[in-house]
Amino acid sequence: MDISDVIAPAFLYVSLLVILYGILLLSYRILLHPLKAYPGLFLARLSDIHNGYYVMRKSLHLVSRSYHQKYGKVIRHGPNKLLFNTPKALHDIYNNDMVVKSYVYSVFIQTPGVHSLFTVVDKQHHTAKRRIVGQVINDRSMKMFEPSMAGQIDIYLKLLSESSKRPDPKPVNMTQMFEYLACDIVGLLAFGYHLNLQTEATNRFMLQGMYSANHWTNLRMHFFILHQLGLIRIIRRLNGSILVSKANAETTSQDDRIHMSEIWSEGISFFPAGAFSTSGALSALFFYLSQSPSCYKRLATEIRSAFAASHEIRGGPKLADCQYLRACIDEALRIAPPVPGTMWREPAANNSKPLIIDGHYIPPGTQIGVNIYAIHHNPEYFQDPFTFKPERWLSETPEAQRKSMQDAFSAFSVGYRGCAGKAMAYLESSLVVAKTLWYFDFERAPGKLGEVGGGRPGSHNGRSRLDEFQLYDIISGAHDGPFLIFTSRGDSSASERR
Ligand code: HEM
């Protein structure tokens, strides 16, 4: 008997079995699955392929919002996924001991078995890690770290000053400026290392590597199994970390001790978690300020009358009193959340009672979440959601309305897995904005360059608003622009800076 007489029928039988399995699986997902009654895109019932497609296009946040508009507040977003769009669900999911981070976070793990604060699931392990990492980025540590941060902000101001030289001021791409600045700051915080991205080209290649790695990681989270780029090799060259010294000095028990591989893991995760997010918030804020003259004027007036000299601009009560500044930062975080996607969660394995989210029973194994971009643009909680309106956060807006917005605001997520670096993010953003407006005025670059960062009228993919800062969802949102032209506010401020 010829071998092909065996292989051909075997191949046929295996193919038939695969097809049969596929048909049974799809039928189960459509007809018998516990989530079958929930509305949503038909394809989402069958597989995660459509999510993978939009992750590839970096626009899953846009389609998540549009599905909510079409199908309602609770939708089936994948065979095993429920997506909610209410503040009640936000708090029920993210502020709940019966809910843990989804298994999909395992794609972030750099070394098998070694978790960072970001990936760890076990509650006790998380609490211990959060205590240690919290010591590096809490309010108290920020006081110690502020001079290093201010040193990097001074370099940024000097670069702006050079770009503003008359008669030929150069347009500045703020995305690039803030990425370099934020990474230089995080490099110092996490590794005690001067990356010098602001002043030298040598290490800038790492940004592209990190963006690609984030994009692939997002793909793997939603669908594909892909290799990460060799980022760890680059970062491992760095040494002398604040994290290391803090961890060694302040851990008390053997159980709490943080190991070297964990420190690398924490440090690396600080770049996407801490640098890209803060640079995203700042780029968005400058985009909106440059197209909202009344907001620009009110903010500039607040900053220029709150401080008598530039050296007064530092963390403390005076900066905290700049309420319009804080409102502008919050509004930028709302309208262009630096982490625009869905932070997936699942019911904890050891739950002793049924998990209910906003009135819905959640079967074990279901992935649940709230899409941050979608809830931040839900008109039920944020009137005119696509309008940049810092005033909405201030006392001139009725208290009940502010309360409802605060309940729906989740740029930093909420609950015990919410952002550990919030204090740092506010300090860094406040210092950068206040110092920039102290020394400079700015406006959009003329012509096409001035449009970079906005949408394209006529585009059918949710990116048609010229005046909306565009986010490209790769876990943290990638972006470009705005291109701005700076004018120094006079020799006195320049000489003060020297
Ligand atoms: C505007 C700036 C920032 C935004 C919008 C932001 C947003 C977020 C969000 C949404 C989460 C939850 C992620 C999840 O559930 O998967 C998170 C977690 C985290 N962020 Fe931030 N972040 C910012 C700045 C920072 C900074 C500056 C750092 C530190 C250098 C940082 C460190 C962390 C860490 C360590 C976690 C994990 C916390 C945990 O699981 O306990 N973030 N952040």
Side-chain angles (χ1 to χ4, degrees), residues 94 101 105 108 116-120 126 130 133 137 186 189 221 266 269-282 329 333 337-339 342-345 372 410-414 416-426 428-429 475:
Y94 297 94
K101 275 198 166 178
Y105 278 79
F108 286 97
S116 70
L117 176 60
F118 194 69
T119 60
V120 66
H126 172 260
R130 179 103 185 195
V133 177
I137 45 185
V186 163
L189 176 84
M221 270 182 108
E266 295 302 348
S269 71
F270 271 22
F271 282 94
F276 292 162
S277 46
T278 311
S279 67
L282 283 167
I329 296 172
L333 289 167
V339 183
T342 307
M343 309 293 105
W344 290 107
R345 300 291 192 259
I372 298 179
S410 56
F412 295 99
S413 192
V414 297
Y416 74 101
R417 297 307 297 255
C419 181
K422 205 166 148 180
M424 176 168 168
Y426 277 120
E428 190 175 327
S429 312
I475 303 174

Side-chain angles (χ1 to χ4, degrees), residues 189-484:
L189 176 84
F191 299 100
Y193 184 87
H194 283 273
L195 283 167
N196 294 333
L197 300 190
Q198 295 197 89
T199 48
E200 294 167 17
T202 325
N203 290 326
R204 287 180 187 165
F205 69 98
M206 65 182 268
L207 283 180
Q208 199 44 51
M210 284 194 277
Y211 273 118
S212 304
N214 265 9
H215 191 196
W216 293 132
T217 306
N218 204 19
L219 269 173
R220 292 197 300 160
M221 270 182 108
H222 285 90
F223 190 58
F224 297 104
I225 310 243
L226 293 169
H227 295 287
Q228 274 190 291
L229 297 183
L231 175 69
I232 301 166
R233 277 199 301 281
I234 304 163
I235 306 285
R236 279 199 172 139
R237 293 213 305 259
L238 310 176
N239 56 30
S241 130
I242 291 189
L243 202 58
V244 176
S245 51
K246 268 277 175 193
N248 288 344
E250 304 209 14
T251 48
T252 44
S253 77
Q254 194 62 36
D255 287 347
D256 278 3
R257 215 162 278 274
I258 190 164
H259 298 284
M260 200 59 200
S261 49
E262 292 181 88
I263 289 166
W264 284 117
S265 209
E266 295 302 348
I268 288 165
S269 71
F270 271 22
F271 282 94
F276 292 162
S277 46
T278 311
S279 67
L282 283 167
S283 307
L285 179 48
F286 278 73
F287 176 90
Y288 285 104
L289 286 175
S290 70
Q291 65 180 21
S292 322
S294 61
C295 301
Y296 180 108
K297 195 165 164 224
R298 185 165 169 185
L299 180 61
T301 307
E302 180 181 82
I303 302 294
R304 291 167 193 172
S305 49
F307 304 97
S310 66
H311 68 263
E312 286 186 2
I313 304 179
R314 55 170 192 265
K318 270 197 180 177
L319 195 61
D321 275 353
C322 293
Q323 289 179 13
Y324 195 71
L325 170 62
R326 173 62 181 251
C328 284
I329 296 172
D330 283 344
E331 183 62 349
L333 289 167
R334 179 199 70 80
I335 200 165
V339 183
T342 307
M343 309 293 105
W344 290 107
R345 300 291 192 259
E346 63 191 26
N350 55 357
N351 286 342
S352 53
K353 48 183 189 174
L355 175 64
I356 307 293
I357 301 295
D358 198 3
H360 296 260
Y361 165 69
I362 307 298
T366 307
Q367 306 294 297
I368 45 179
V370 171
N371 182 276
I372 298 179
Y373 179 86
I375 196 164
H376 280 191
H377 291 83
N378 186 334
E380 213 170 299
Y381 314 113
F382 301 99
Q383 284 174 8
D384 300 330
F386 289 96
T387 308
F388 181 77
K389 254 200 260 179
E391 296 72 22
R392 68 172 88 235
W393 299 103
L394 296 173
S395 53
E396 55 218 67
T397 300
E399 199 180 331
Q401 206 176 318
R402 271 185 288 141
K403 164 91 177 61
S404 133
M405 289 189 304
Q406 273 146 8
D407 284 348
F409 180 73
S410 56
F412 295 99
S413 192
V414 297
Y416 74 101
R417 297 307 297 255
C419 181
K422 205 166 148 180
M424 176 168 168
Y426 277 120
L427 177 66
E428 190 175 327
S429 312
S430 305
L431 289 178
V432 169
V433 178
K435 289 190 179 200
T436 308
L437 279 168
W438 178 265
Y439 286 116
F440 301 97
D441 275 309
F442 60 85
E443 61 187 359
R444 281 279 173 95
K448 282 278 164 213
L449 211 51
E451 290 174 15
V452 174
R456 282 222 184 100
S459 132
H460 293 295
N461 53 7
R463 298 193 181 279
S464 61
R465 292 179 197 85
L466 189 65
D467 59 356
E468 184 187 6
F469 190 58
Q470 296 301 310
L471 300 171
Y472 297 88
D473 182 4
I474 50 167
I475 303 174
S476 54
H479 44 87
D480 195 12
F483 278 83
L484 302 179

Side-chain angles (χ1 to χ4, degrees), residues 101-236:
K101 275 198 166 178
S102 155
Y103 71 92
V104 296
Y105 278 79
S106 61
V107 302
F108 286 97
I109 295 172
Q110 313 280 349
T111 312
V114 178
H115 283 280
S116 70
L117 176 60
F118 194 69
T119 60
V120 66
V121 173
D122 177 72
K123 186 116 198 260
Q124 247 183 323
H125 196 176
H126 172 260
T127 310
K129 270 181 173 295
R130 179 103 185 195
R131 202 164 40 238
I132 295 165
V133 177
Q135 288 164 6
V136 182
I137 45 185
N138 64 15
D139 278 317
R140 202 154 43 95
S141 298
M142 278 306 113
K143 286 204 178 84
M144 275 166 52
F145 183 65
E146 194 179 328
S148 305
M149 188 188 273
Q152 294 305 313
I153 296 175
D154 281 348
I155 296 174
Y156 150 85
L157 293 168
K158 194 158 170 276
L159 292 171
L160 287 190
S161 174
E162 281 161 16
S163 80
S164 71
K165 292 231 163 73
R166 303 278 139 184
D168 186 23
K170 303 266 179 306
V172 178
N173 186 345
M174 300 313 286
T175 284
Q176 205 176 63
M177 282 299 253
F178 289 138
E179 277 173 355
Y180 295 160
L181 169 63
C183 283
D184 279 352
I185 290 175
V186 163
L188 279 178
L189 176 84
F191 299 100
Y193 184 87
H194 283 273
L195 283 167
N196 294 333
L197 300 190
Q198 295 197 89
T199 48
E200 294 167 17
T202 325
N203 290 326
R204 287 180 187 165
F205 69 98
M206 65 182 268
L207 283 180
Q208 199 44 51
M210 284 194 277
Y211 273 118
S212 304
N214 265 9
H215 191 196
W216 293 132
T217 306
N218 204 19
L219 269 173
R220 292 197 300 160
M221 270 182 108
H222 285 90
F223 190 58
F224 297 104
I225 310 243
L226 293 169
H227 295 287
Q228 274 190 291
L229 297 183
L231 175 69
I232 301 166
R233 277 199 301 281
I234 304 163
I235 306 285
R236 279 199 172 139

